[in-house]
Amino acid sequence: MKRFATLALAAASCGFLLSCASKTAKVDARGDWELVSFEKDGTEVAIVTATLSVTDKGAGEYDITGFSGVNNYRGSLNANGNKITFAPNLASTRMAGPQDAMEFETLYLELLGNADTWSVTDSELVLSGRTATARFVKKTLDGTSWQLSAANTGNAVVSQPGTITLAFTDGTAAGFTGINILNLGYTADEKTHALSFADGPLTRRAGSEEEMAAEQLFIDNLFKTASYSLNGDGLTLYDADGTTLLHFVQAQ
């Protein structure tokens, strides 16, 4: 009897272990991704610029934002391991664009509505549906260069002259304030989008009253920054409350 009881216990233990092992591990897709290839019905499709940013809200829920070739979009999905379901409330801006970009955007947004699996490595995200597959590579701040297009004055986000720039390289944010050159340290978390800047050298040239006011506004907003988002060819910096501080477009 003891032998049979031992065998039964061992079998039960094996069953428990197999059950635990069979549970699908959570897929960590947090961060920013840039589309590099797209297949429809097994055929490679010419792509335009498209991006996907994924934010983990907990309990298998994720917020998604991105650029689909012409328009910006926003939505959410639920995930259980590598199985995903996009919520039907995907919202998109309604701008027109070149015909080829609009045709591709239709295919891309269809995939976001129908994709049912995802997989992630350190540098690649794959979304798959019944008839289409999209592959993305990790998009990071490091190695990017930007031109300021708008800043928060405290009352509103207003357009700014295109002379202010910022570039991220190996933990240093180097920029031109319209008058002076600055080099700041920065720390960024690609998965949570946390971002902060540290003091660094700044040249001390003088400029017009308007230029100096724009410079001070730029620097003040940099040091208020708590997070960021990458969307298409844009970079937006936010304060701790999620208020937009600075918006950049990709430098030419």
Side-chain angles (χ1 to χ4, degrees):
M1 288 294 292
K2 286 184 178 179
R3 182 168 179 266
F4 286 120
T6 302
L7 288 173
L9 180 60
S13 299
C14 287
F16 175 75
L17 291 173
L18 287 172
S19 174
C20 291
S22 66
K23 289 183 179 179
T24 305
K26 179 179 178 179
V27 174
D28 189 359
R30 293 176 299 166
D32 303 296
W33 305 89
E34 184 170 10
L35 184 71
V36 292
S37 71
F38 192 95
E39 290 184 6
K40 175 70 173 177
D41 296 322
T43 301
E44 192 83 12
V45 175
I47 64 172
V48 297
T49 299
T51 62
L52 173 67
S53 295
V54 181
T55 303
D56 190 347
K57 306 299 289 184
E61 296 183 4
Y62 297 81
D63 283 343
I64 61 165
T65 59
F67 180 70
S68 51
V70 179
N71 290 282
N72 295 317
Y73 64 87
R74 178 180 297 275
S76 61
L77 64 82
N78 290 309
N80 181 11
N82 71 334
K83 304 295 184 183
I84 58 173
T85 303
F86 280 85
N89 60 341
L90 189 69
S92 176
T93 56
R94 298 296 180 186
M95 297 175 62
Q99 186 66 28
D100 61 337
M102 294 183 69
E103 289 175 356
F104 176 78
E105 180 174 75
T106 298
L107 294 177
Y108 179 79
L109 294 177
E110 282 179 357
L111 173 61
L112 294 190
N114 297 323
D116 52 18
T117 63
W118 65 1
S119 63
V120 175
T121 64
D122 288 341
S123 60
E124 183 179 73
L125 164 66
V126 179
L127 291 182
S128 299
R130 293 185 300 275
T131 62
T133 299
R135 297 181 184 276
F136 301 80
V137 293
K138 182 72 79 174
K139 186 177 175 70
T140 67
L141 279 177
D142 189 48
T144 61
S145 299
W146 306 92
Q147 181 175 308
L148 185 68
S149 63
N152 192 326
T153 64
N155 298 314
V157 177
V158 300
S159 296
Q160 294 292 298
T163 55
I164 296 177
T165 61
L166 194 64
F168 296 87
T169 307
D170 294 333
T172 298
F176 180 63
T177 68
I179 311 170
N180 289 289
I181 296 170
L182 82 167
N183 285 276
L184 306 178
Y186 77 92
T187 302
D189 188 317
E190 297 167 3
K191 294 184 180 296
T192 65
H193 294 107
L195 175 65
S196 61
F197 293 92
D199 284 330
L202 173 70
T203 58
R204 295 295 179 184
R205 299 187 184 95
S208 68
E209 184 175 340
E210 181 179 354
E211 289 173 329
M212 294 182 72
E215 175 184 75
Q216 192 61 54
L217 178 63
F218 174 59
I219 293 172
D220 287 347
N221 280 337
L222 285 179
F223 285 109
K224 293 176 184 176
T225 297
S227 64
Y228 73 97
S229 66
L230 288 168
N231 194 11
D233 62 353
L235 166 66
T236 306
L237 307 187
Y238 307 94
D239 68 12
D241 295 322
T243 301
T244 295
L245 296 172
L246 299 166
H247 181 72
F248 300 82
V249 294
Q250 205 146 27
Q252 299 299 317

